[in-house]
Amino acid sequence: QVQLVESGGGLVQAGGSLRISCAASGRTFSSYAMGWFRQAPGKEREFVAAIPWSGGSTVYADSVKGRFTISRDNAKNTVYLQMNSLKPEDTAVYYCVAAHFTAWRSSLAKSSNPYNSWGQGTQVTVSS
């Protein structure tokens, strides 16, 4: 199990951009699929994006597809979420998640089930 620490959240105007990061501890970062979930006050936690341990086929929620990009740097044990064309409805706490490759499947990427490590979250606020 890895420890995850998010950073980079803040306040941005609608239409703006923001990049948030997640730093992971341990030597086996490359053995984990990584992802992002988010939760707004009074709303259900929802999937945002995921990326396999080897990169390749990324997975996005329909609500962010074309606007957000997930990437990873295994040498730095870090995963990123580049958020462009931000909307007020993107306002939420964003959580970094990790799933070991033995448990993760692309078909389950949008479910919270395969992720056994969760960060404490970083707040992203988009003003109108």
Side-chain angles (χ1 to χ4, degrees):
Q1 190 170 354
V2 298
Q3 292 183 329
L4 307 172
V5 180
E6 302 93 335
S7 63
L11 176 65
V12 62
Q13 292 185 348
S17 299
L18 197 66
R19 188 179 76 163
I20 55 177
S21 303
C22 173
S25 64
R27 299 179 180 178
T28 59
F29 176 77
S30 61
S31 298
Y32 287 81
M34 305 295 297
W36 293 92
F37 281 72
R38 68 185 182 185
Q39 186 170 24
K43 295 184 178 180
E44 299 287 337
R45 184 172 296 180
E46 64 177 351
F47 169 81
V48 177
I51 184 169
W53 55 93
S54 59
S57 299
T58 52
V59 183
Y60 296 94
D62 290 341
S63 59
V64 306
K65 192 173 298 182
R67 300 189 297 120
F68 291 10
T69 302
I70 186 171
S71 61
R72 64 189 296 161
D73 186 340
N74 288 348
K76 295 182 177 181
N77 284 9
T78 302
V79 63
Y80 306 94
L81 185 67
Q82 177 67 48
M83 301 178 287
N84 298 326
S85 301
L86 283 163
K87 305 174 181 179
E89 50 262 45
D90 294 319
T91 295
V93 176
Y94 284 71
Y95 296 92
C96 180
V97 297
H100 196 267
F101 76 96
T102 57
W104 189 89
R105 299 177 183 178
S106 59
S107 60
L108 298 176
K110 297 182 179 181
S111 169
S112 62
N113 291 338
Y115 305 104
N116 64 344
S117 297
W118 291 70
Q120 292 190 339
T122 185
Q123 176 71 47
V124 173
T125 303
V126 184
S127 62
S128 60

